[in-house]
Amino acid sequence: MVILDKKSLPSSTFACGPAQSLPSQRHAHLCETHFERSHRAPDFTTNGLYKQATLELKKLFDLSDDYTVCFFPGGASPAMEAVLWNLTLDTLSGLAFGEFSNRWAQGIASRLTGVKHNVRFAPRGTVVPQEEPHYNASLLILTPNETSTGVQIPDEYLARVWEKRGPDTLVAWDTTSCAGGRNLPKNQFDVMLFGLQKCFGAMGGTCALFLSKKAVARLQQTARLRTIPYTLDLTYAVTNAAKFQTVNTPNTSAIWLGYQAAKWMNEHGGLRAMDALCRAHAKHLTNWAAQTDFVTPLVADEKFRSYTTLTLQLTAPHITAEAINHALADTGLENLKDGVKPHPYAPENSLRVACFPFVDTEGVAQYKKLTAALDEIVRQLRK
């Protein structure tokens, strides 16, 4: 059995979601989160939380005035479905190279009939597909960062897609894995969606959704093509967002947490500072990995390697991710119960570490404690 000194262990959570919250949020009283309030009350909507959260997100992402901000229930997957149903005309393209980009491009998109699919898939174990997407498709879907494997689409690739897109093409991003931690190319999308449970440290089940003016105009076209299920109909979401309201009762606590996170980010340097913080977290891990003989980054090319969710491949004989995570869980510390487990889509013997801003807002002290613990676990496992 591995024995660790609890006093030397980190106090942060390194799981990739729901992830570490802003420290001040973790100590908030539940009654502060508006969970007992009506979401139609003026001091929650036009004069309160919903409006404040919307404005903080617009400021954080430096959105132009013609973008609409909605809060969508159910997390990123239902929002992906809503985007496909509401914004696809006759053709769909994009890139798929992991669990969540594959889910969007295949698992969810396959339910939408009468559409020609031209999605480019990467073979398992590789990074982004070699073949470029179909730039004239009615909807082009991209996942800038894959949570499952720690792969990212480089900025220059995202910018090239935006530049080469067809005149009637909408570009949609699922940024759940990186929104709030990566300074993505500004306003080079028509749709951006992300769950609040990662960089923003909120609970799961709520998604932020940004729609350009062009995307909003598309809603009228698709309404004539197909009957859209009521809960997926973005027409209602956009109409209500103009009044700082949601279609149905939202998770007000999640919106409150997202608002507090965005406000803190804006007060502490905005996206540039959050990007630098995530890079510092990932850099410590990759520097440490380079000095060990038992782990290496799964994605060798730094250009394609996510610095918000980093996957490390174990390389030493008889050292398993299962044993390491058992050792972390056996400490009895709540923050280490989920350890640094790999996503099922990734290679089995790997570690996945969240590098989100709130895991360590001061720098890399928490990561130094984590890597010291991993060194000690491996040392004892080798005995």
Side-chain angles (χ1 to χ4, degrees):
M1 179 180 177
V2 174
I3 299 175
L4 299 172
D5 177 11
K6 289 185 180 182
K7 293 180 181 179
S8 66
L9 294 174
S11 57
S12 288
T13 296
F14 298 92
C16 288
Q20 176 79 27
S21 290
L22 182 65
S24 60
Q25 293 176 347
R26 302 181 77 199
H27 301 291
H29 294 290
L30 187 59
C31 59
E32 295 178 51
T33 70
H34 302 274
F35 82 110
E36 295 175 317
R37 293 298 316 285
S38 167
H39 67 291
R40 302 295 185 200
D43 62 342
F44 179 81
T45 57
T46 52
N47 298 316
L49 174 62
Y50 198 112
K51 182 177 181 179
Q52 292 167 346
T54 298
L55 295 179
E56 289 293 345
L57 286 175
K58 281 191 169 185
K59 180 180 179 181
L60 181 65
F61 291 97
D62 196 16
L63 295 179
S64 58
D65 291 338
D66 61 349
Y67 279 89
T68 299
V69 176
C70 307
F71 289 101
F72 201 78
S77 293
M80 290 177 188
E81 193 158 33
V83 166
L84 291 177
W85 276 77
N86 285 269
L87 300 177
T88 309
L89 295 176
D90 55 350
T91 52
L92 173 70
S93 189
L95 304 179
F97 49 92
E99 168 67 24
F100 299 101
S101 51
N102 274 285
R103 177 185 300 177
W104 198 9
Q106 196 167 34
I108 295 174
S110 64
R111 270 67 170 179
L112 188 60
T113 59
V115 171
K116 184 178 180 180
H117 296 252
N118 292 302
V119 175
R120 314 309 189 194
F121 292 89
R124 192 180 179 97
T126 62
V127 290
V128 296
Q130 295 299 309
E131 192 178 6
E132 294 196 349
H134 185 255
Y135 290 106
N136 288 305
S138 66
L139 183 67
L140 201 160
I141 58 175
L142 299 171
T143 303
N145 290 61
E146 250 293 350
T147 307
S148 63
T149 53
V151 177
Q152 74 169 14
I153 303 174
D155 284 356
E156 56 268 27
Y157 196 120
L158 295 172
R160 185 166 72 252
V161 169
W162 185 249
E163 181 182 347
K164 295 178 69 173
R165 76 196 189 283
D168 298 318
T169 299
L170 297 180
V171 176
W173 291 351
D174 166 26
T175 61
T176 296
S177 187
C178 64
R182 179 180 173 186
N183 193 18
L184 290 157
K186 178 186 172 184
N187 294 340
Q188 294 188 358
F189 59 87
D190 293 292
V191 183
M192 177 172 165
L193 65 92
F194 56 93
L196 296 173
Q197 76 272 23
K198 298 191 184 297
C199 287
F200 289 83
M203 59 191 70
T206 299
C207 188
L209 184 61
F210 304 157
L211 297 169
S212 70
K213 185 178 180 180
K214 186 177 176 181
V216 172
R218 172 70 60 84
L219 299 177
Q220 296 179 357
Q221 291 178 270
T222 51
R224 294 191 292 266
L225 287 178
R226 64 182 67 94
T227 300
I228 299 171
Y230 178 84
T231 56
L232 299 180
D233 194 337
L234 291 179
T235 303
Y236 299 128
V238 168
T239 300
N240 278 271
K243 301 179 288 186
F244 298 107
Q245 293 187 11
T246 53
V247 175
N248 54 4
T249 307
N251 184 333
T252 55
S253 294
I255 295 176
W256 183 86
L257 289 166
Y259 159 64
Q260 294 292 334
K263 182 181 178 183
W264 186 93
M265 290 175 178
N266 282 325
E267 291 172 349
H268 290 80
L271 273 185
R272 288 184 181 274
M274 299 306 108
D275 184 291
L277 197 54
C278 292
R279 287 180 187 270
H281 296 165
K283 188 66 173 176
H284 171 77
L285 291 169
T286 54
N287 285 346
W288 162 77
Q291 296 170 7
T292 74
D293 63 350
F294 61 86
V295 68
T296 189
L298 177 65
V299 181
D301 189 340
E302 187 175 356
K303 182 173 66 173
F304 293 102
R305 186 191 308 148
S306 174
Y307 52 87
T308 54
T309 55
L310 182 67
T311 298
L312 301 166
Q313 180 72 61
L314 290 164
T315 58
H318 314 303
I319 302 299
T320 67
E322 183 179 15
I324 288 173
N325 281 291
H326 272 311
L328 291 172
D330 285 346
T331 63
L333 296 177
E334 189 72 21
N335 62 298
L336 297 180
K337 279 186 176 179
D338 292 330
V340 285
K341 297 175 183 176
H343 189 276
Y345 190 92
E348 182 178 351
N349 208 29
S350 59
L351 308 174
R352 187 175 58 143
V353 187
C355 297
F356 307 138
F358 298 157
V359 179
D360 193 333
T361 58
E362 301 298 322
V364 297
Q366 291 294 316
Y367 289 90
K368 288 181 177 179
K369 290 182 177 182
L370 173 66
T371 52
L374 295 175
D375 283 335
E376 178 59 19
I377 291 169
V378 171
R379 187 190 71 80
Q380 294 189 39
L381 289 174
R382 280 175 161 168
K383 281 185 176 181

